[in-house]
Amino acid sequence: MAWSVAFVSQKGGVGKSTKARALAREATASGLKTKLGDLDLEQGTSSDWHRRRLKAGLPPAASVEVFSTARQAIEAAGDADLLIIDGPARASKGTSEIAKVVDLLVQPTGASLDDLIPAIKVFNALVKEGVPRSRLVFSLSRVGTEAEEAEARAYIAESGYETLAGCLFEKPAYRQAMNSGLTVTETRYKGLNEKADELIQALIDKIGEV
Ligand SMILES: Nc1ncnc2c1ncn2[C@@H]1O[C@H](COP(=O)(O)OP(=O)(O)O)[C@@H](O)[C@H]1O
Ligand SMILES: [Mg+2]
């Protein structure tokens, strides 16, 4: 397997599954052999969603499978170009197990201090355990305004971490798309798709760097 990336966070509802699914779809569309490992056994968001996608007659976003550990997902990745891990909302121990085996860890976060402060603590704990900062990146989710995005970016930069270019604004159309088995890059609205594409492209570029 060439590359592996995991979406992790301590909090739920921050956009891990949303971004994992969009990355899977876009990587597959660009010709990469892509696997999406759903590690959220409680919720199975990505695997349920993929079933909806196939039922709707849409092309597969990737090969999607459920695993209980990142190591299992890596072992099953075979000759895939890209393994994407959709992590569970989990305490630091689970996250550090994932961090040990993947190339890049993406932590989606909301823009409020309520979200940013604990999210930065998660990365600080990983750095303390020896994970290089270059393998950790934030990605902003469910942002309200451009001003809010800029403020959150500045806050993250001050803590010494990188934030991916692009972000996802909070839009019901994104939820609607995912209800129908689509990704945030496949909504009915060109502007929203372009915004989501920009974020996913930044992520693909970042994966190429690590
Ligand atoms: N940018 C967004 N705008 C609107 N709804 C969103 C957005 N991102 C995620 N959601 C919705 O928020 C909920 C949680 O997102 P999800 O990606 O499942 O988070 P996680 O995997 O981190 O728990 C889902 O209902 C999803 O459809
Ligand atoms: Mg999830």
Side-chain angles (χ1 to χ4, degrees), residues 60-185:
S63 138
V64 183
E65 252 185 277
V66 177
F67 296 100
S68 57
T69 67
R71 202 170 289 280
Q72 275 176 14
I74 299 261
E75 279 163 12
D79 64 347
D81 299 311
L82 175 64
L83 169 68
I84 301 163
I85 290 179
D86 180 10
R90 194 176 268 180
S92 346
K93 190 170 168 287
T95 303
S96 81
E97 276 161 17
I98 296 173
K100 278 184 201 130
V101 295
V102 299
D103 300 321
L104 181 68
L105 236 67
V106 182
Q107 189 176 184
T109 175
S112 69
L113 286 182
D114 290 344
D115 287 344
L116 290 170
I117 291 169
I120 287 167
K121 279 188 188 154
V122 169
F123 273 177
N124 285 344
L126 292 173
V127 168
K128 222 172 174 182
E129 283 178 33
V131 178
R133 272 174 192 264
S134 57
R135 282 169 47 200
L136 304 174
V137 65
F138 282 105
S139 175
L140 294 170
S141 284
R142 313 189 70 160
V143 173
T145 62
E146 276 171 25
E148 191 182 35
E149 177 190 357
E151 227 171 273
R153 265 180 206 289
Y155 189 86
I156 292 170
E158 246 173 65
S159 71
Y161 296 103
E162 185 185 339
T163 309
L164 278 179
C167 73
L168 286 185
F169 287 105
E170 172 77 28
K171 298 282 178 189
Y174 284 143
R175 278 196 290 278
Q176 236 168 34
M178 292 188 280
N179 286 345
S180 321
L182 295 161
T183 64
V184 289
T185 54

Side-chain angles (χ1 to χ4, degrees), residues 12-18 21 38 40 43-46 86-89:
V14 294
K16 295 182 293 297
S17 302
T18 295
R21 288 176 275 186
D38 188 352
D40 194 345
Q43 305 196 15
T45 307
S46 284
D86 180 10

Side-chain angles (χ1 to χ4, degrees), residues 6-22:
F7 292 84
V8 298
S9 71
Q10 221 159 49
K11 289 200 176 192
V14 294
K16 295 182 293 297
S17 302
T18 295
K19 289 173 176 174
R21 288 176 275 186

